[in-house]
Each structure stands twice: as structure tokens, then as C-alpha cells.
Amino acid sequence: MADPPGLKKLGERILVTGALGQIGTELVEALRAKYGPDAVVASDLREMPDHPVVRSGPFRHLSVIDADGFDSVVVEEGIAVVYHLAAILSATGERLPELAERINVGGMVTVLEAARKHGLRVYAPSSIAVFGPDAPDVAPQVTALNPTTVYGRTKVTGERLALNYWKQYGVDVRGIRYPGLISWKAPAGGGTTDYAVDIFHSALAAGHFDCFVRADTRLPMMYMDDAIRATLELMDAPADSLGDARVGYNIRGDSFTAGELADAISARMPGFTCDFVPDVRQEYADSWPDDVDDSVAVAEWGWKAEFGLDAICDAMLRGMKS
Ligand code: NAD
Ligand code: SER
């Protein structure tokens, strides 16, 4: 399979679904900086006229389970590449499992079918939620995927669909199993790892946070700048360097407990206090691995993280104060 066609060569446009969410807010900004504002069409189910993504370039109101509407946008806008971010995250998904299945699996089918018909390249993220309690503490790239959350099951299905479309139809689809993502430009969107974002907002607003997982809860985490860079690097990698992990690479940022995160914030904000008051999301967090082994991503496309716990805290507090 040849290298990705690349926008620069074809002069064609990018569509981002779920563009108003936590990742989309920053991915659209990065793609518009790289390819130009007009080359990147943002889309979402929500309509937020004042959102920076809507104000900085083209925007289409679009549901990813509306296959005909999706096809029309692809044709009308001259789309060559889709970054498919629209999804229901874990905490919302466990409350609304039918919705999570419909959006996460149904949306993936819409995007892959359009890619097959129109020859699109696709980026579709997966998650550390593909792993279940039987995965090793440091989850390898290849291991049994037995998630206990509905969200995790939709992500496993998404990876399998993506691999099928690659193998059967040659659709160039790529993905990353993102760790919990920490960022300040947009709120976190209803996931279990949201505590690692909310803690910063509460620390600055109130000097206190009630954390919904135990202090000893350890999860893979990553700063958004690393996640965006990983996404762009994976999409730029030559196709023939990628193996079957192409639909869901493990990538490592850092791994820390909620208690270690609270301590790192206290060290920068004397007087900050945190109570640990676990709710149902503890169960989802407990089902995921402590850390991931990202040696396949390192070997196949040179992944290397830049932000550890201290750098994340510094960047978050600096960004939020600005
Ligand atoms: P988010 O919840 O912040 O944003 C998702 C966006 O999708 C929202 O703006 C929402 O309005 C939109 N949306 C929902 N239903 C839609 C529909 N039917 N049609 C079109 N848009 C719809 O989520 P995010 O954190 O930006 O996550 C993006 C992707 O990354 C998801 O696939 C998610 O599973 C994955 N991911 C995120 C994280 C994380 O920590 N944020 C970690 C692992 C994987
Ligand atoms: N951060 C996401 C969540 O907690 C994991 O995919 O749902």
C-alpha cells in the first residue's frame, strides 16, 4: 500500500466530526494551523456559534448517525480525510448504553462506509477502555480485549470494524488508544478520567476538590499537546510502516494515581485540599490498566511523549491562569 495521499498533494479538505468536544477543540486548531483554516471543515451535533472552532473556519451541523447527511457533506465539501471524534464517553455511556452503542458503533459504520465509497482516509480514536480487568497492569499492544464497560465494548467493535475495512477494502484508517486526556481549552466530555481535568478547575476556583475516585487509582494519562502531536504524526506516517495496530496504537504519556496528582497540585498551590469520595466511576477506572506498553507505536512511527506529571501540572496551571 502506497504512502497516504496527503492533503498537500491533492489540495483536498478535512472533515472533523465531534469537533466541539475536548479533543476537537484543539485538533481543529492544530489542523487549521497546518493546512489553513478553509481546508478544515469542523462538524458536530451541537451548535455553538461562539465556539472558537465555529468562529475560526467552516462548520457543518451534522450527526454521524445520519449516513445520507454525512455523504452529502463529504461530496459538497470535497472531503479527502475524516478525523472522526464524535462519540459518547464512558461515564455517559454507562448511563445511556443504548445511545453509546448507537453513536459509537453506528457513527463508525457511517464514516467507514463513506470512506469505502469515496476513497477517504480516516482517523478514528480508540481508548484504554478497550482493556478489561483481565489485562496485565501494564497493558501490552496485543492482549485479550474483554472490557466490562459498554463504552469499552464499542471501542473494541470500532477497532475491529476499522481493521476489516482496511483488510477487505483497503480503507486507510488509523487510530490511537488515547489514555485519559488532560487539557484546559475545553471541558472534558463525560468520561471517567474527567477527574484529572476537573481537579485543576476546582483547585483554581475553590482551592478544594471532591475527587470521584480513590487516591490510589492509577491510570494512564496524557497531556493534550502530546495527544494532538501523536495524532498528526500517526496520520503523516508512511502506510507501509504500520501493522495491524494501525487501528488502535497504545501510546504512553505518564501513569499516576489520583493522590499523586492532588499532591502535585498542592505542591504548586499551597492550601489546596482534596477529598476522595468514590462513586460509580470508580468501578470503570478499576477495570482499566495502570499503564500501557507503547513499544509498537515507538517502533512503527517513532512515538515519544514530552509531558510527565510535573510538566502537565505546570502547563495546566499556566494555561488556565492565562
Ligand atoms: P467529547 O465528549 O469532549 O466530544 C465529543 C463530541 O461529539 C461532542 O462535541 C458531541 O457534541 C459530539 N457528538 C456526540 N454525538 C454526536 C453525533 N451523533 N454526531 C456528531 N457529533 C456528536 O469527547 P472527546 O474527549 O473529544 O473524545 C473524542 C474521541 O476520543 C472519542 O472517540 C473518545 O472515545 C476518544 N477518547 C477520548 C479520551 C479523553 O480522555 N478525552 C480518551 C480516550 C479516547
Ligand atoms: N477518557 C475516556 C473516558 O474516561 C477514556 O476513553 O471515558
Side-chain angles (χ1 to χ4, degrees):
M1 179 74 48
D3 283 0
L7 286 164
K8 282 158 273 174
K9 201 158 60 187
L10 293 178
E12 292 183 85
R13 299 170 92 203
I14 294 171
L15 177 66
V16 182
T17 73
L20 303 185
Q22 187 192 6
I23 300 175
T25 298
E26 302 206 30
L27 184 62
V28 169
E29 184 184 328
L31 290 169
R32 285 184 175 153
K34 184 168 177 176
Y35 297 109
D38 186 56
V40 182
V41 180
S43 71
D44 203 287
L45 185 63
R46 292 185 286 172
E47 291 189 279
M48 299 171 75
D50 291 331
H51 194 289
V53 157
V54 178
R55 294 171 73 94
S56 64
F59 177 80
R60 297 289 299 254
H61 181 232
L62 177 63
S63 170
V64 291
I65 53 174
D66 172 7
D68 291 341
F70 191 88
D71 258 29
S72 302
V73 169
V74 165
V75 172
E76 286 162 22
E77 301 286 355
I79 300 301
V81 184
V82 179
Y83 288 75
H84 173 46
L85 305 180
I88 303 296
L89 272 67
S90 60
T92 310
E94 298 316 290
R95 268 193 294 112
L96 302 167
E98 194 267 339
L99 181 73
E101 295 255 4
R102 201 145 40 92
I103 307 296
N104 296 5
V105 179
M108 195 70 178
V109 171
T110 299
V111 171
L112 290 171
E113 266 300 291
R116 184 179 67 80
K117 278 194 266 176
H118 301 288
L120 313 175
R121 296 179 61 222
V122 175
Y123 175 78
S126 185
S127 163
I128 52 161
V130 293
F131 300 111
D134 59 345
D137 288 345
V138 180
Q141 178 68 46
V142 179
T143 188
L145 300 180
N146 294 311
T148 48
T149 59
V150 172
Y151 170 73
R153 287 198 284 271
T154 67
K155 288 292 168 185
V156 173
T157 304
E159 286 192 12
R160 290 187 178 144
L161 279 168
L163 199 59
N164 283 349
Y165 271 76
W166 161 244
K167 294 206 159 171
Q168 264 182 279
Y169 306 118
V171 173
D172 184 353
V173 48
R174 305 174 183 201
I176 286 171
R177 292 172 179 158
Y178 290 132
L181 298 182
I182 301 179
S183 68
W184 55 272
K185 290 187 184 170
T192 300
T193 58
D194 290 15
Y195 68 85
V197 175
D198 298 347
I199 192 171
F200 288 96
H201 290 280
S202 294
L204 285 175
H208 178 79
F209 183 55
D210 283 332
C211 182
F212 58 76
V213 295
R214 285 190 316 271
D216 65 354
T217 305
R218 180 178 293 281
L219 284 174
M221 294 284 178
M222 177 171 281
Y223 190 52
M224 187 64 83
D225 289 26
D226 269 343
I228 299 297
R229 185 170 53 79
T231 304
L232 300 181
E233 287 177 6
L234 174 59
M235 288 301 276
D236 279 346
D240 57 11
S241 66
L242 310 181
D244 283 359
R246 60 170 20 249
V247 294
Y249 281 100
N250 284 2
I251 62 168
R252 190 174 189 281
D254 202 349
S255 161
F256 43 82
T257 67
E260 288 165 350
L261 175 59
D263 289 347
I265 294 173
S266 296
R268 290 160 176 80
M269 293 184 60
F272 168 69
T273 55
C274 186
D275 289 336
F276 296 90
V277 193
D279 67 17
V280 66
R281 289 168 282 189
Q282 182 70 55
E283 202 183 303
Y284 317 147
D286 287 345
S287 75
W288 297 344
D290 292 353
D291 203 347
V292 295
D293 174 345
D294 63 0
S295 49
V296 176
V298 172
E300 294 188 1
W301 48 280
W303 169 243
K304 191 173 185 327
E306 287 177 1
F307 289 80
L309 173 58
D310 285 320
I312 292 173
C313 290
D314 291 338
M316 283 294 286
L317 294 171
R318 198 171 46 243
M320 292 171 76
K321 284 177 185 160
S322 73

